[in-house]
């Protein structure tokens, strides 16, 4: 008898859970249609295929002509004359030994952010 009552209570909880789950699914179906899900899945598949193409290009080896062109461009870049800033010719000042042991003063200014090109 007690088992029957306990089993009936469990059945009621399962049925209530199914009702709540069904209501949630119906609300989700109102928000999202089957066509919208198919569109999202298609877009996702297209994005995955596009990324695979990029991966293949990046992972693929260069042809000999491509490598020769890249090396020629690298040689051209490294052979360019680079104008360096002038360096002061005066010797550095002597710092007494007791000042060398001090902690350096930290610069509180944050470096400026520069956009990458």
């Amino acid at each position: 008898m007690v088992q029957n009552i306990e089993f009936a209570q469990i059945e009621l909880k399962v049925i209530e859970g199914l009702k709540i789950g069904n209501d949630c699914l119906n609300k989700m179906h109102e928000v999202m249609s089957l066509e919208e899900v198919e569109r999202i899945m298609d877009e996702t598949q297209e994005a995955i295929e596009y990324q695979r193409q990029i991966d293949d290009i990046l992972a693929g080896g260069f042809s000999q002509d491509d490598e020769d062109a890249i090396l020629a461009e690298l040689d051209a870049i490294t052979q360019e004359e680079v104008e360096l800033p002038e360096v002061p010719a005066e010797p550095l000042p002597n710092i007494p030994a007791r000042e060398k042991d001090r902690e350096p003063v930290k610069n509180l200014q944050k470096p400026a952010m520069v956009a990458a090109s």
Side-chain angles (χ1 to χ4, degrees):
M1 180 77 168
V2 173
Q3 288 180 337
N4 290 341
I5 294 173
E6 288 176 352
F7 188 72
Q9 289 175 338
I10 292 172
E11 284 179 333
L12 278 174
K13 288 182 180 180
V14 168
I15 291 174
E16 287 174 11
L18 288 172
K19 285 181 184 178
I20 292 170
N22 194 26
D23 290 341
C24 288
L25 282 174
N26 287 334
K27 288 179 183 177
M28 287 176 57
H29 292 159
E30 290 173 8
V31 173
M32 192 175 301
S33 68
L34 184 61
E35 292 81 20
E36 185 175 356
V37 172
E38 288 175 344
R39 181 188 57 81
I40 291 171
M41 293 302 293
D42 288 342
E43 288 176 0
T44 302
Q45 187 61 35
E46 289 172 9
I48 290 170
E49 289 174 14
Y50 185 75
Q51 185 61 45
R52 281 192 189 130
Q53 290 175 354
I54 292 173
D55 291 343
D56 290 343
I57 290 170
L58 293 175
F62 294 109
S63 68
Q64 189 61 40
D65 292 337
D66 291 337
E67 286 188 30
D68 291 341
I70 291 169
L71 291 174
E73 185 176 347
L74 178 63
D75 287 339
I77 291 171
T78 56
Q79 298 301 320
E80 291 177 4
E81 287 287 324
V82 178
E83 190 172 319
L84 299 174
E86 291 190 25
V87 179
E90 304 94 36
L92 294 174
N94 289 332
I95 300 174
R98 66 173 186 239
E99 289 185 25
K100 287 183 182 178
D101 294 337
R102 280 196 214 166
E103 262 187 58
V105 177
K106 293 183 179 178
N107 187 357
L108 298 179
Q109 292 179 338
K110 292 184 180 180
M113 300 291 284
V114 178
S117 55

